[in-house]
Amino acid sequence: MNNMEKIIENIFYSSLGVKEGEKGLIFFDNFNGDSRLSEREYIVKCFEGFALSRGISIKQMKINNTGGNGLEPDKLLWQETLGNDFVENIEKMFGWEKIVKKEIELDVLLNIAKSVELKFVPHFVIALPYHSTSHTSFRKLLNKLGTRYISMPIFDLKMFEGPLDIDFNELERETVELKTNLEGKKKCRIKDQMGTDISFCFGDREFKADSGNFRDSGSFGNLPAGEVFIAPLEDKTEGVIAITWAGWGRLEKPLFAEIKAGKVIRLYGDMRLKEYLENIFNRDDRNKVVCELGFGTNRGAKRYDNILEAEKIYGTAHIAFGDNVTFGGNNRATTHIDYLISEPEIRWGDD
Protein backbone atom coordinates (compact mmCIF):
# COMPACT_ATOMS: atom_id res chain seq x y z
CA MET A 1 0.00 0.00 0.00
CA ASN A 2 1.48 3.38 -1.00
CA ASN A 3 1.34 6.52 1.15
CA MET A 4 -1.71 7.95 -0.62
CA GLU A 5 -3.65 4.73 -0.08
CA LYS A 6 -2.72 4.75 3.61
CA ILE A 7 -4.00 8.30 3.97
CA ILE A 8 -7.26 7.46 2.18
CA GLU A 9 -7.60 4.46 4.50
CA ASN A 10 -7.17 6.81 7.48
CA ILE A 11 -9.83 9.12 6.07
CA PHE A 12 -12.37 6.31 5.67
CA TYR A 13 -11.71 4.51 8.94
CA SER A 14 -10.06 6.98 11.35
CA SER A 15 -11.76 10.25 10.35
CA LEU A 16 -15.12 9.03 9.02
CA GLY A 17 -15.32 5.81 11.02
CA VAL A 18 -17.01 3.99 8.12
CA LYS A 19 -18.79 0.84 9.23
CA GLU A 20 -19.89 -2.26 7.37
CA GLY A 21 -23.13 -1.74 5.46
CA GLU A 22 -22.88 2.04 5.26
CA LYS A 23 -23.34 3.89 1.98
CA GLY A 24 -21.51 7.00 0.89
CA LEU A 25 -21.55 9.75 -1.71
CA ILE A 26 -18.53 11.38 -3.31
CA PHE A 27 -19.04 14.26 -5.72
CA PHE A 28 -17.08 16.87 -7.62
CA ASP A 29 -17.92 19.47 -10.26
CA ASN A 30 -17.13 20.40 -13.84
CA PHE A 31 -15.27 23.63 -13.02
CA ASN A 32 -12.44 24.05 -15.51
CA GLY A 33 -11.20 27.48 -14.47
CA ASP A 34 -7.80 26.06 -13.58
CA SER A 35 -5.72 23.02 -14.48
CA ARG A 36 -6.97 20.85 -11.65
CA LEU A 37 -10.17 19.41 -13.12
CA SER A 38 -8.43 16.26 -14.33
CA GLU A 39 -6.57 16.08 -11.02
CA ARG A 40 -9.84 16.21 -9.06
CA GLU A 41 -11.25 13.48 -11.30
CA TYR A 42 -8.20 11.35 -10.50
CA ILE A 43 -8.57 11.98 -6.75
CA VAL A 44 -12.25 10.99 -6.89
CA LYS A 45 -11.30 7.76 -8.69
CA CYS A 46 -8.72 7.01 -5.99
CA PHE A 47 -11.29 7.43 -3.23
CA GLU A 48 -13.88 5.45 -5.16
CA GLY A 49 -11.39 2.70 -6.02
CA PHE A 50 -10.31 2.30 -2.40
CA ALA A 51 -13.93 2.15 -1.23
CA LEU A 52 -14.85 -0.51 -3.76
CA SER A 53 -11.76 -2.56 -2.87
CA ARG A 54 -12.95 -2.64 0.73
CA GLY A 55 -16.58 -3.39 -0.03
CA ILE A 56 -17.74 0.12 0.88
CA SER A 57 -20.83 1.19 -1.05
CA ILE A 58 -20.19 4.60 -2.60
CA LYS A 59 -21.93 6.62 -5.31
CA GLN A 60 -19.96 9.02 -7.50
CA MET A 61 -21.49 12.17 -9.01
CA LYS A 62 -20.22 15.00 -11.18
CA ILE A 63 -22.27 18.19 -10.82
CA ASN A 64 -22.35 21.63 -12.40
CA ASN A 65 -20.08 24.19 -10.79
CA THR A 66 -21.96 26.47 -8.39
CA GLY A 67 -20.03 29.60 -9.35
CA GLY A 68 -18.83 30.48 -5.85
CA ASN A 69 -18.23 29.37 -2.28
CA GLY A 70 -21.42 28.88 -0.29
CA LEU A 71 -23.74 28.83 -3.30
CA GLU A 72 -26.18 25.94 -3.40
CA PRO A 73 -25.33 22.90 -5.56
CA ASP A 74 -27.54 22.32 -8.56
CA LYS A 75 -30.93 20.67 -8.32
CA LEU A 76 -29.68 17.36 -9.66
CA LEU A 77 -27.63 16.70 -6.52
CA TRP A 78 -30.66 17.44 -4.32
CA GLN A 79 -32.75 15.07 -6.44
CA GLU A 80 -30.18 12.28 -6.32
CA THR A 81 -29.84 12.45 -2.55
CA LEU A 82 -33.24 13.55 -1.29
CA GLY A 83 -35.47 12.53 -4.18
CA ASN A 84 -37.94 14.05 -6.63
CA ASP A 85 -40.72 14.22 -4.03
CA PHE A 86 -38.65 16.47 -1.81
CA VAL A 87 -37.63 18.74 -4.71
CA GLU A 88 -41.20 18.93 -6.06
CA ASN A 89 -42.54 19.90 -2.63
CA ILE A 90 -40.01 22.71 -2.39
CA GLU A 91 -40.93 23.95 -5.86
CA LYS A 92 -44.67 23.86 -5.17
CA MET A 93 -44.48 25.49 -1.74
CA PHE A 94 -41.77 28.10 -2.31
CA GLY A 95 -40.19 27.90 -5.76
CA TRP A 96 -36.62 26.68 -6.20
CA GLU A 97 -35.30 30.24 -6.28
CA LYS A 98 -35.88 30.38 -2.51
CA ILE A 99 -33.34 27.56 -2.14
CA VAL A 100 -30.84 29.40 -4.32
CA LYS A 101 -31.25 32.58 -2.25
CA LYS A 102 -31.11 30.67 1.09
CA GLU A 103 -34.49 32.05 2.10
CA ILE A 104 -35.95 28.83 3.55
CA GLU A 105 -35.22 28.06 7.20
CA LEU A 106 -33.43 24.80 7.91
CA ASP A 107 -36.20 23.55 10.19
CA VAL A 108 -38.69 23.99 7.35
CA LEU A 109 -36.48 21.95 5.01
CA LEU A 110 -36.10 19.28 7.67
CA ASN A 111 -39.87 19.00 8.15
CA ILE A 112 -40.38 18.61 4.40
CA ALA A 113 -37.67 15.95 4.28
CA LYS A 114 -39.39 14.02 7.06
CA SER A 115 -42.75 14.21 5.28
CA VAL A 116 -41.65 12.45 2.07
CA GLU A 117 -39.92 9.24 1.10
CA LEU A 118 -36.27 10.18 0.69
CA LYS A 119 -34.35 8.59 -2.17
CA PHE A 120 -30.78 8.27 -0.92
CA VAL A 121 -29.51 9.83 2.29
CA PRO A 122 -25.85 8.78 2.54
CA HIS A 123 -24.22 7.88 5.81
CA PHE A 124 -21.21 9.94 4.74
CA VAL A 125 -20.29 12.48 2.05
CA ILE A 126 -16.90 13.38 0.61
CA ALA A 127 -17.41 16.70 -1.19
CA LEU A 128 -14.68 17.54 -3.72
CA PRO A 129 -16.08 20.36 -5.89
CA TYR A 130 -13.87 23.33 -6.67
CA HIS A 131 -16.11 25.74 -4.74
CA SER A 132 -17.06 24.99 -1.15
CA THR A 133 -20.45 23.52 -0.22
CA SER A 134 -19.74 23.92 3.50
CA HIS A 135 -22.04 26.89 3.99
CA THR A 136 -25.04 25.62 2.06
CA SER A 137 -28.52 24.49 3.02
CA PHE A 138 -27.79 21.22 1.21
CA ARG A 139 -24.93 20.38 3.55
CA LYS A 140 -26.76 21.55 6.68
CA LEU A 141 -29.85 19.50 5.86
CA LEU A 142 -27.85 16.33 5.28
CA ASN A 143 -26.13 16.85 8.63
CA LYS A 144 -29.53 17.23 10.29
CA LEU A 145 -30.52 13.92 8.73
CA GLY A 146 -27.44 12.27 10.26
CA THR A 147 -24.96 12.37 7.36
CA ARG A 148 -21.27 12.76 8.19
CA TYR A 149 -19.92 15.36 5.75
CA ILE A 150 -16.32 16.14 4.77
CA SER A 151 -15.85 19.28 2.67
CA MET A 152 -12.69 19.37 0.51
CA PRO A 153 -12.95 22.35 -1.91
CA ILE A 154 -9.91 23.29 -4.03
CA PHE A 155 -8.28 20.08 -2.80
CA ASP A 156 -5.21 18.92 -4.71
CA LEU A 157 -2.75 16.04 -4.73
CA LYS A 158 -0.05 17.99 -2.86
CA MET A 159 -2.17 17.84 0.28
CA PHE A 160 -1.51 14.11 0.58
CA GLU A 161 2.15 15.03 1.17
CA GLY A 162 1.65 17.61 3.94
CA PRO A 163 -1.50 18.38 5.92
CA LEU A 164 -2.93 14.86 5.52
CA ASP A 165 0.35 13.01 6.07
CA ILE A 166 0.09 13.49 9.83
CA ASP A 167 -0.92 11.73 13.03
CA PHE A 168 -4.70 12.22 12.99
CA ASN A 169 -4.98 11.48 16.72
CA GLU A 170 -2.33 14.11 17.57
CA LEU A 171 -4.09 16.69 15.39
CA GLU A 172 -7.35 16.01 17.18
CA ARG A 173 -5.68 16.27 20.60
CA GLU A 174 -3.98 19.61 19.86
CA THR A 175 -7.06 21.11 18.23
CA VAL A 176 -9.37 20.16 21.10
CA GLU A 177 -6.78 21.44 23.59
CA LEU A 178 -6.70 24.87 21.93
CA LYS A 179 -10.50 25.01 21.90
CA THR A 180 -10.55 24.22 25.62
CA ASN A 181 -7.98 26.94 26.33
CA LEU A 182 -10.03 29.55 24.46
CA GLU A 183 -13.37 28.76 26.11
CA GLY A 184 -14.75 31.78 27.90
CA LYS A 185 -12.76 34.35 25.92
CA LYS A 186 -14.95 37.35 25.13
CA LYS A 187 -12.72 39.62 23.06
CA CYS A 188 -9.71 39.50 20.78
CA ARG A 189 -7.48 42.03 19.05
CA ILE A 190 -5.19 40.97 16.21
CA LYS A 191 -2.38 42.97 14.63
CA ASP A 192 0.35 42.13 12.14
CA GLN A 193 3.27 43.83 10.44
CA MET A 194 1.37 44.23 7.15
CA GLY A 195 -1.15 46.66 8.66
CA THR A 196 -3.83 44.46 10.19
CA ASP A 197 -5.36 45.89 13.36
CA ILE A 198 -8.77 44.45 14.09
CA SER A 199 -10.87 43.76 17.20
CA PHE A 200 -13.58 41.13 17.73
CA CYS A 201 -16.24 40.50 20.37
CA PHE A 202 -17.72 37.05 20.95
CA GLY A 203 -20.29 37.49 23.73
CA ASP A 204 -21.39 34.05 24.90
CA ARG A 205 -20.70 32.31 21.59
CA GLU A 206 -18.70 29.10 21.60
CA PHE A 207 -15.47 28.18 19.88
CA LYS A 208 -15.68 25.18 17.54
CA ALA A 209 -13.01 22.62 16.67
CA ASP A 210 -12.39 21.16 13.22
CA SER A 211 -10.23 18.31 14.50
CA GLY A 212 -10.55 15.71 11.74
CA ASN A 213 -12.97 13.57 13.77
CA PHE A 214 -16.14 12.97 11.72
CA ARG A 215 -17.22 9.74 13.33
CA ASP A 216 -20.36 11.04 15.06
CA SER A 217 -23.72 11.22 13.32
CA GLY A 218 -24.25 14.61 11.68
CA SER A 219 -20.63 15.71 12.04
CA PHE A 220 -19.00 18.08 9.59
CA GLY A 221 -15.67 19.68 8.78
CA ASN A 222 -12.81 20.10 6.33
CA LEU A 223 -10.04 17.86 5.20
CA PRO A 224 -7.33 18.85 5.63
CA ALA A 225 -8.56 19.57 9.15
CA GLY A 226 -7.00 21.60 11.91
CA GLU A 227 -8.60 24.80 13.13
CA VAL A 228 -10.46 26.33 16.05
CA PHE A 229 -12.99 28.97 15.02
CA ILE A 230 -15.86 31.13 16.23
CA ALA A 231 -18.58 33.40 14.86
CA PRO A 232 -17.89 36.90 16.23
CA LEU A 233 -20.83 39.13 17.09
CA GLU A 234 -21.82 40.41 13.68
CA ASP A 235 -21.99 44.13 14.53
CA LYS A 236 -18.96 44.40 16.81
CA THR A 237 -15.90 43.78 14.63
CA GLU A 238 -13.86 46.96 14.08
CA GLY A 239 -10.61 47.76 12.33
CA VAL A 240 -8.57 46.92 9.25
CA ILE A 241 -7.30 43.65 7.82
CA ALA A 242 -4.42 43.51 5.35
CA ILE A 243 -5.05 40.71 2.84
CA THR A 244 -1.83 39.44 1.28
CA TRP A 245 -2.92 36.23 -0.45
CA ALA A 246 -5.74 35.58 -2.92
CA GLY A 247 -6.86 32.47 -4.76
CA TRP A 248 -4.39 33.20 -7.57
CA GLY A 249 -1.34 33.70 -5.32
CA ARG A 250 0.51 36.27 -3.24
CA LEU A 251 -0.47 39.87 -3.91
CA GLU A 252 2.21 42.37 -4.97
CA LYS A 253 0.66 44.80 -2.50
CA PRO A 254 -2.01 44.08 0.12
CA LEU A 255 -5.69 44.73 -0.19
CA PHE A 256 -6.93 46.54 2.90
CA ALA A 257 -10.48 45.95 4.13
CA GLU A 258 -11.76 48.62 6.50
CA ILE A 259 -14.46 47.27 8.81
CA LYS A 260 -17.01 49.22 10.85
CA ALA A 261 -19.76 47.69 13.01
CA GLY A 262 -18.93 44.28 11.57
CA LYS A 263 -19.17 45.19 7.87
CA VAL A 264 -16.63 46.07 5.21
CA ILE A 265 -17.11 49.75 4.42
CA ARG A 266 -14.04 50.31 2.24
CA LEU A 267 -11.55 48.35 0.16
CA TYR A 268 -8.27 49.83 -1.06
CA GLY A 269 -4.99 48.48 -2.39
CA ASP A 270 -4.70 45.58 -4.84
CA MET A 271 -7.15 46.36 -7.65
CA ARG A 272 -7.74 42.83 -8.93
CA LEU A 273 -8.83 41.48 -5.52
CA LYS A 274 -10.73 44.72 -4.82
CA GLU A 275 -12.86 44.23 -7.94
CA TYR A 276 -13.35 40.54 -7.15
CA LEU A 277 -14.61 41.24 -3.62
CA GLU A 278 -16.71 44.23 -4.64
CA ASN A 279 -18.57 41.99 -7.08
CA ILE A 280 -19.30 39.50 -4.27
CA PHE A 281 -20.28 42.24 -1.82
CA ASN A 282 -22.55 44.02 -4.32
CA ARG A 283 -24.37 40.75 -5.02
CA ASP A 284 -25.57 40.47 -1.41
CA ASP A 285 -25.02 43.01 1.37
CA ARG A 286 -24.79 40.17 3.90
CA ASN A 287 -21.57 39.05 2.21
CA LYS A 288 -19.82 42.13 3.65
CA VAL A 289 -20.14 40.86 7.23
CA VAL A 290 -17.11 39.52 9.10
CA CYS A 291 -18.50 36.13 10.03
CA GLU A 292 -15.59 34.05 11.34
CA LEU A 293 -12.32 34.18 13.20
CA GLY A 294 -10.22 31.01 13.14
CA PHE A 295 -6.81 29.68 14.20
CA GLY A 296 -4.78 26.96 12.46
CA THR A 297 -3.59 23.85 14.34
CA ASN A 298 -2.22 21.53 11.63
CA ARG A 299 1.58 21.16 11.88
CA GLY A 300 1.72 19.46 8.48
CA ALA A 301 0.09 22.37 6.64
CA LYS A 302 2.65 24.65 4.97
CA ARG A 303 1.29 26.15 1.74
CA TYR A 304 -0.11 29.66 1.57
CA ASP A 305 -1.37 29.48 -2.02
CA ASN A 306 -4.42 27.33 -1.21
CA ILE A 307 -6.75 28.67 1.51
CA LEU A 308 -8.08 25.21 2.36
CA GLU A 309 -4.58 24.34 3.57
CA ALA A 310 -3.38 27.84 4.49
CA GLU A 311 -6.09 28.44 7.10
CA LYS A 312 -4.98 25.24 8.86
CA ILE A 313 -1.29 26.25 9.17
CA TYR A 314 -0.23 26.03 12.78
CA GLY A 315 -0.02 29.47 14.41
CA THR A 316 -1.91 31.41 11.74
CA ALA A 317 -5.26 33.17 12.03
CA HIS A 318 -7.94 33.76 9.42
CA ILE A 319 -11.13 35.72 9.03
CA ALA A 320 -14.08 35.16 6.71
CA PHE A 321 -16.81 37.27 5.18
CA GLY A 322 -20.36 35.98 4.69
CA ASP A 323 -22.38 33.12 6.09
CA ASN A 324 -21.97 31.83 9.65
CA VAL A 325 -25.34 30.35 10.62
CA THR A 326 -23.88 26.84 10.73
CA PHE A 327 -21.52 27.56 13.62
CA GLY A 328 -23.32 29.88 15.98
CA GLY A 329 -23.83 33.09 14.02
CA ASN A 330 -26.86 34.94 12.67
CA ASN A 331 -25.67 36.07 9.22
CA ARG A 332 -27.34 34.07 6.46
CA ALA A 333 -25.34 35.03 3.36
CA THR A 334 -24.79 33.63 -0.12
CA THR A 335 -21.05 33.14 0.27
CA HIS A 336 -18.31 32.36 2.78
CA ILE A 337 -14.80 33.45 1.81
CA ASP A 338 -11.68 33.20 4.01
CA TYR A 339 -8.47 35.24 4.16
CA LEU A 340 -5.29 34.54 6.08
CA ILE A 341 -3.36 36.47 8.72
CA SER A 342 -0.06 34.63 8.53
CA GLU A 343 1.83 36.09 11.51
CA PRO A 344 -0.80 37.36 13.95
CA GLU A 345 -0.07 39.18 17.19
CA ILE A 346 -3.02 38.20 19.38
CA ARG A 347 -4.28 39.86 22.54
CA TRP A 348 -7.16 38.19 24.41
CA GLY A 349 -9.80 39.69 26.67
CA ASP A 350 -12.19 37.90 29.03
CA ASP A 351 -14.77 40.64 29.48
Side-chain angles (χ1 to χ4, degrees), residues 69-88:
N69 294 324
L71 298 179
E72 296 296 328
D74 64 31
K75 192 187 301 184
L76 178 61
L77 187 61
W78 291 76
Q79 289 172 324
E80 286 298 310
T81 52
L82 298 164
N84 289 327
D85 289 346
F86 174 85
V87 170
E88 288 174 2

Side-chain angles (χ1 to χ4, degrees), residues 188-212:
C188 178
R189 182 178 180 182
I190 296 181
K191 301 172 71 175
D192 71 10
Q193 294 183 353
M194 303 303 297
T196 295
D197 188 351
I198 188 167
S199 297
F200 307 84
C201 294
F202 311 126
D204 295 324
R205 291 183 176 175
E206 297 181 0
F207 285 88
K208 310 289 184 182
D210 184 8
S211 67

Side-chain angles (χ1 to χ4, degrees), residues 4 8 42 97 100 107 118 137 145 162 172 191 196 222 235 244 253 267 288 298 319 325 327 346:
M4 183 176 174
I8 292 175
Y42 172 71
E97 188 66 17
V100 174
D107 287 344
L118 298 176
S137 298
L145 294 170
E172 182 177 359
K191 301 172 71 175
T196 295
N222 286 150
D235 61 347
T244 56
K253 61 179 180 178
L267 294 170
K288 298 178 181 178
N298 188 321
I319 72 162
V325 296
F327 54 96
I346 307 170

Side-chain angles (χ1 to χ4, degrees), residues 88-152:
E88 288 174 2
N89 275 13
I90 294 294
E91 291 179 323
K92 289 177 182 177
M93 296 171 67
F94 304 102
W96 196 254
E97 188 66 17
K98 295 286 187 181
I99 287 284
V100 174
K101 294 181 177 179
K102 301 180 186 290
E103 294 178 351
I104 306 177
E105 295 292 332
L106 185 58
D107 287 344
V108 174
L109 294 175
L110 185 60
N111 287 334
I112 294 172
K114 290 179 177 179
S115 71
V116 299
E117 183 176 348
L118 298 176
K119 181 178 180 180
F120 170 75
V121 178
H123 294 94
F124 63 92
V125 167
I126 300 172
L128 278 159
Y130 181 82
H131 289 111
S132 173
T133 56
S134 296
H135 302 276
T136 62
S137 298
F138 174 77
R139 191 278 295 171
K140 300 170 202 172
L141 179 57
L142 284 184
N143 278 156
K144 284 288 187 180
L145 294 170
T147 299
R148 312 189 300 279
Y149 197 111
I150 294 177
S151 180
M152 302 170 68

Side-chain angles (χ1 to χ4, degrees), residues 13-50:
Y13 293 118
S14 179
S15 284
L16 279 167
V18 174
K19 303 177 184 66
E20 185 177 352
E22 289 191 323
K23 57 191 178 185
L25 168 69
I26 183 168
F27 70 92
F28 68 115
D29 63 18
N30 61 2
F31 180 76
N32 60 2
D34 67 1
S35 61
R36 289 177 286 192
L37 177 59
S38 59
E39 187 172 300
R40 291 199 306 278
E41 289 178 321
Y42 172 71
I43 293 168
V44 168
K45 289 179 180 178
C46 290
F47 274 98
E48 184 184 33
F50 178 87

Side-chain angles (χ1 to χ4, degrees), residues 146-186:
T147 299
R148 312 189 300 279
Y149 197 111
I150 294 177
S151 180
M152 302 170 68
I154 56 175
F155 185 85
D156 60 39
L157 284 169
K158 293 180 182 178
M159 294 182 188
F160 286 107
E161 302 169 2
L164 288 180
D165 191 13
I166 56 170
D167 184 327
F168 279 61
N169 292 327
E170 183 66 13
L171 174 65
E172 182 177 359
R173 185 194 66 77
E174 285 199 290
T175 305
V176 172
E177 182 179 314
L178 177 60
K179 174 184 177 296
T180 301
N181 291 340
L182 295 183
E183 287 175 355
K185 300 297 185 186
K186 303 292 185 182

